[in-house]
Amino acid sequence: MSLPEEVYHILQKIVGKDYVSQDPVTCEAYYPTGHGKDTGLERLLYEKAACVILPKTTQEVQEIIKVANRFNIPYTPGSTFWFITCQTKAPNSLIIDLKRMNELFIEEKNMYGVVGPGVVYSQLQEEAMKRGLYITVPGGGGQVSVVANLITAGWSPLNYRVGMPSRRILGTEWVLPDGEVLELGSLAMGSNPFWGEGPGPDLRFILKGYSGWFGGLGIVTKMAVKLFPFQPERLKPVGVSPNTMLEFPTQRMRWFNYYMPDSKALVEAMYEIGQAYIGAAITKVPLMWRFVAKANSRGEFWELWNKQLGNIQEFYPAIVRVLLIGYTSEEQLEYEARVLDDIMKEYGGELHRTRQGDESWIKNADSATMWAVTGGYASCAGMIDTVDSAVKGGEYYAKIKRKFTPPLVDDLGEPGWFQMGEFGHMGYLEFLNYWDPDEIEARERVEQWYFDEVPKADARMGIYNLFQCQMIPVLSTVKFGPNHHLWMEKIKNLFDPKHLSNPPAPFEFDEFVKRAKHLKGDWD
Ligand SMILES: Cc1cc2nc3c(=O)[nH]c(=O)nc-3n(C[C@H](O)[C@H](O)[C@H](O)COP(=O)(O)OP(=O)(O)OC[C@H]3O[C@@H](n4cnc5c(N)ncnc54)[C@H](O)[C@@H]3O)c2cc1C
């Protein structure tokens, strides 16, 4: 596969010879394994890219997109390439790797940062913390592009205090699928990006909405993001890679792990913590994660976990982890610790020891280890709703998951990973699945779970699933529309009539199901 020679020469002229390549080895390096392989998309949907290009400026991005439109070349943007959707799915496609666009600037007084798509959270966070500020880092870690994350996800336990990610998006520069630049918020009226809502157009809910377009609606080349006041003490990096963490200044930041008598007590205590307006993050801990954290190797994990499976009476499903931060003073933390203690006494919570540091949510990156246990991992559901619906949703998935266990790992009916947002006014659920992706039959069965069974469950329960929400069965159900998918098609056709921006986004899962003989797609 390669692009026509004429096109290749034009691309070389745009970015320079060093930043465009059709070398099969380079293109192969952009071909993903991991997550995409686990969910089966790789077998039936992915195509190797014909060419990779690395622009440095917005003008270069515009010129590349205009060339793509002139010669009908499908293109896929990628910022940090963690997510499966940044793989090319059409023959003779171009990958636009945005990592050279790494502008980073902080406006300390008005508390925002300006980033290009090549900037990752760890970089922004380090600079923000030096100025007594912070940004909410996704639960999966700080290794991902701030821009890519905020236009597709932005889910973090730290959203407990600062809420929905779309609100952190301020002035934004967006190259549309036809190559024209659109500036959102105050950027439209000048060079100051401090405001997302205006006075220029606020199209953040077309750009991002619930979970964005996954490269299907052009390229964001610059974004201002809201930063928040933090506490002033330094978090010290300790350990040797891969076992590193940021040590907490415990007079200002402290974890509290409680084992609750049952799930009911856990949920009620969580609500009460939110009502008391204390805490920086509150999350239920899936039992398996306790074992992942304890084990030093995959072998050790299985030894510990198998022992647990044989010892059901010691099964402790209800662990809650609370992070307190004394944002304003040490006294704030001490006050919140006393309130927390009172609440936990009421609900029978038992405090357990935990390491006082962070491996993921502040600046580090531990999400790669999520795969390590079995080699295959994917959450089949994610949901932002109420805490109550997160709990009920998790329990429902757990019930129907039994039919698929094995090949899914037996997690003792774990009802998922749920946490609170906006001081308990919102709940977040992620439903986890582990399996061995090297066993082909197991993979097909897991795909039946992921693509046939879960969308039906979503429609039945009224769950607007973050991970499947661009699948037509979910979008077309009466609970969400019923014609939500038609609106998405309309917007796509309007902005990108040639469907060159990362096709078949936004409906790649539907395309996969159509091609997979082992899937029924019998959602109605
Ligand atoms: C194991 C695991 C755990 C995770 N946990 C969390 C979590 O807890 N919370 C959370 O919020 N997220 C989580 N994520 C998602 C992760 O944060 C995303 O991967 C991140 O949001 C985007 O970074 P990326 O490297 O995947 O982006 P990329 O892979 O580069 O891109 C992701 C998508 O956006 C498109 N895209 C990339 N850059 C641009 C751009 N500049 N303009 C337009 N389109 C673009 C791409 O085409 C692609 O479709 C997790 C991911 C994994 C694999």
Side-chain angles (χ1 to χ4, degrees):
M1 266 189 294
S2 62
L3 300 185
E5 212 167 301
E6 184 192 1
V7 177
Y8 191 65
H9 284 308
I10 302 175
L11 293 177
Q12 278 183 322
K13 282 215 175 98
I14 296 172
V15 293
K17 285 191 174 159
D18 287 345
Y19 296 110
V20 57
S21 174
Q22 304 199 90
D23 178 351
V25 176
T26 304
C27 293
E28 180 83 33
Y30 281 82
Y31 194 70
T33 52
H35 205 242
K37 201 166 184 174
D38 300 348
T39 45
L41 301 178
E42 182 243 354
R43 284 202 317 280
L44 296 173
L45 206 56
Y46 290 174
E47 296 274 349
K48 294 209 169 109
C51 183
V52 177
I53 189 161
L54 290 92
K56 176 74 183 160
T57 64
T58 302
Q59 194 186 332
E60 287 177 6
V61 172
Q62 281 188 276
E63 286 173 20
I64 294 165
I65 292 189
K66 284 185 177 167
V67 170
N69 272 276
R70 189 168 138 213
F71 293 94
N72 293 318
I73 313 256
Y75 59 88
T76 299
S79 293
T80 30
F81 292 91
W82 271 84
F83 224 47
I84 48 176
T85 46
C86 63
Q87 176 54 43
T88 44
K89 280 131 305 207
N92 294 315
S93 290
L94 176 64
I95 282 194
I96 306 180
D97 179 347
L98 302 160
K99 71 162 74 72
R100 290 177 68 224
M101 302 186 72
N102 54 3
E103 175 193 1
L104 167 55
F105 162 78
I106 295 199
E107 223 295 19
E108 194 171 331
K109 182 160 164 266
N110 294 307
M111 295 193 291
Y112 66 82
V114 179
V115 288
V119 174
V120 302
Y121 275 104
S122 302
Q123 294 165 319
L124 176 62
Q125 189 74 301
E126 179 60 30
E127 293 306 317
M129 287 198 300
K130 280 182 196 159
R131 294 161 174 85
L133 301 170
Y134 82 107
I135 177 79
T136 292
V137 169
Q143 76 284 14
V144 296
S145 157
V146 179
V147 168
N149 179 254
L150 279 177
I151 59 176
T152 55
W155 316 117
S156 167
L158 297 173
N159 288 1
Y160 171 70
R161 247 188 139 83
V162 295
M164 292 297 271
S166 316
R167 296 193 201 125
R168 296 196 281 280
I169 300 177
L170 306 177
T172 295
E173 182 185 80
W174 176 10
V175 178
L176 298 175
D178 62 359
E180 293 304 314
V181 172
L182 178 64
E183 285 169 321
L184 305 186
S186 56
L187 252 194
M189 307 297 282
S191 57
N192 191 337
F194 76 106
W195 203 8
E197 279 163 33
D202 174 10
L203 295 185
R204 288 174 298 178
F205 293 91
I206 289 225
L207 174 67
K208 203 289 186 180
Y210 198 48
S211 67
W213 293 86
F214 298 99
L217 214 62
I219 297 184
V220 173
T221 42
K222 189 159 65 171
M223 184 183 280
V225 293
K226 182 78 194 125
L227 302 174
F228 302 92
F230 197 39
Q231 56 77 39
E233 301 291 334
R234 182 166 157 69
L235 278 68
K236 195 170 131 213
V238 293
V240 177
S241 183
N243 296 316
T244 57
M245 70 169 190
L246 287 181
E247 208 169 66
F248 282 171
T250 48
Q251 73 281 21
R252 283 286 192 148
M253 295 181 73
R254 220 177 295 156
W255 286 121
F256 295 80
N257 270 17
Y258 286 94
Y259 283 29
M260 307 303 290
D262 52 44
S263 304
K264 189 165 173 279
L266 176 137
V267 174
E268 282 175 7
M270 281 172 86
Y271 267 124
E272 197 140 332
I273 294 167
Q275 271 164 16
Y277 263 63
I278 60 162
I282 302 167
T283 173
K284 173 191 184 292
V285 181
L287 186 68
M288 265 179 83
W289 287 3
R290 295 287 301 149
F291 289 76
V292 172
K294 267 191 219 159
N296 288 312
S297 65
R298 189 188 290 207
E300 196 180 335
F301 166 82
W302 284 109
E303 215 172 278
L304 293 169
W305 185 245
N306 286 334
K307 218 192 269 170
Q308 173 74 30
L309 285 177
N311 201 359
I312 307 282
Q313 60 277 28
E314 276 185 28
F315 176 43
Y316 230 174
I319 305 170
V320 64
R321 189 161 166 80
V322 182
L323 174 66
L324 298 186
I325 301 182
Y327 292 100
T328 55
S329 62
E330 293 177 18
E331 289 74 19
Q332 182 192 350
L333 193 149
E334 291 312 325
Y335 162 76
E336 294 197 4
R338 285 201 304 276
V339 176
L340 180 64
D341 187 51
D342 284 349
I343 293 171
M344 287 307 182
K345 273 193 189 123
E346 195 183 327
Y347 289 97
E350 197 181 285
L351 187 63
H352 279 239
R353 262 174 9 123
T354 184
R355 283 199 300 171
Q356 292 300 336
D358 179 71
E359 295 173 16
S360 182
W361 299 350
I362 306 294
K363 205 183 77 171
N364 291 24
D366 73 348
S367 64
T369 59
M370 283 170 133
W371 278 286
V373 175
T374 58
Y377 155 77
S379 292
C380 63
M383 177 178 79
I384 319 286
D385 205 307
T386 59
V387 179
D388 190 48
S389 52
V391 174
K392 287 194 180 120
E395 285 168 357
Y396 184 65
Y397 291 126
K399 204 163 78 186
I400 56 173
K401 184 177 171 178
R402 288 200 198 110
K403 276 195 284 176
F404 296 83
T405 309
L408 294 174
V409 167
D410 181 2
D411 58 9
L412 293 169
E414 174 70 62
W417 173 35
F418 58 84
Q419 54 191 284
M420 298 211 302
E422 306 218 332
F423 287 105
H425 294 106
M426 267 169 27
Y428 176 85
L429 168 73
E430 208 167 307
F431 195 79
L432 317 162
N433 307 280
Y434 290 91
W435 68 98
D436 180 352
D438 290 334
E439 292 172 11
I440 196 79
E441 270 177 34
R443 266 164 74 169
E444 292 197 347
R445 185 82 182 126
V446 172
E447 287 157 21
Q448 284 163 357
W449 161 245
Y450 201 95
F451 294 105
D452 272 345
E453 208 58 35
V454 171
K456 277 194 271 187
D458 294 340
R460 237 176 271 139
M461 291 289 285
I463 291 173
Y464 194 14
N465 184 340
L466 281 174
F467 300 116
Q468 316 270 22
C469 71
Q470 294 185 328
M471 285 185 79
I472 285 172
V474 180
L475 295 175
S476 59
T477 169
V478 84
K479 297 204 170 96
F480 302 116
N483 294 322
H484 191 138
H485 63 298
L486 302 179
W487 280 102
M488 289 188 74
E489 271 170 359
K490 269 189 198 165
I491 293 170
K492 173 77 178 168
N493 292 338
L494 188 70
F495 279 84
D496 183 20
K498 291 186 168 186
H499 284 224
L500 294 175
S501 190
N502 204 15
F507 298 124
E508 62 184 54
F509 283 178
D510 295 81
E511 184 57 37
F512 170 72
V513 172
K514 252 188 250 160
R515 293 184 196 184
K517 289 200 173 55
H518 58 288
L519 298 179
K520 291 195 195 125
D522 59 342
W523 302 304
D524 296 331

